[in-house]
Amino acid sequence: AVQQRSNGHWATESCSSHLHFACQSLDNNLDWIVSKSSGPWSHGTDACPTGYAFAVPANDPRNDALAKALAAVPASEAAVWLNYQAKPL
């Protein structure tokens, strides 16, 4: 699975690690929040509040919007799960 750090870079991570989750608004694709709960990657679909979905930024503006959301949370929460799986070649 993949995590995003506050610097906007993505990195692979063990799916069993406990991180917060990237949640994108269902109404505004530039509105991102960090979930209040943390857990393994498999818990992502249940972690986002109503009106938001566990997601992955699909372009640079969305990636920048998520990076801004990450900059607004404590450093301990500034690496989040993305709804993306890196598949081996």
Side-chain angles (χ1 to χ4, degrees):
V2 176
Q3 65 166 311
Q4 179 166 328
R5 298 184 177 130
S6 58
N7 63 7
H9 295 169
W10 296 11
T12 57
E13 182 70 38
S14 168
C15 292
S16 62
S17 295
H18 282 243
L19 299 173
H20 290 266
F21 302 88
C23 301
Q24 183 182 33
S25 171
L26 298 174
D27 298 324
N28 176 356
N29 58 27
L30 294 178
D31 178 14
W32 290 82
I33 61 170
V34 175
S35 69
K36 291 185 180 189
S37 64
S38 63
W41 182 87
S42 61
H43 292 185
T45 55
D46 297 324
C48 295
T50 301
Y52 288 82
F54 183 38
V56 60
N59 56 35
D60 284 343
R62 293 177 193 177
N63 199 55
D64 292 345
L66 177 54
K68 287 179 186 174
L70 290 170
V73 299
S76 63
E77 300 173 18
V80 294
W81 284 124
L82 301 174
N83 192 8
Y84 181 85
Q85 282 186 294
K87 297 185 180 186
L89 299 175

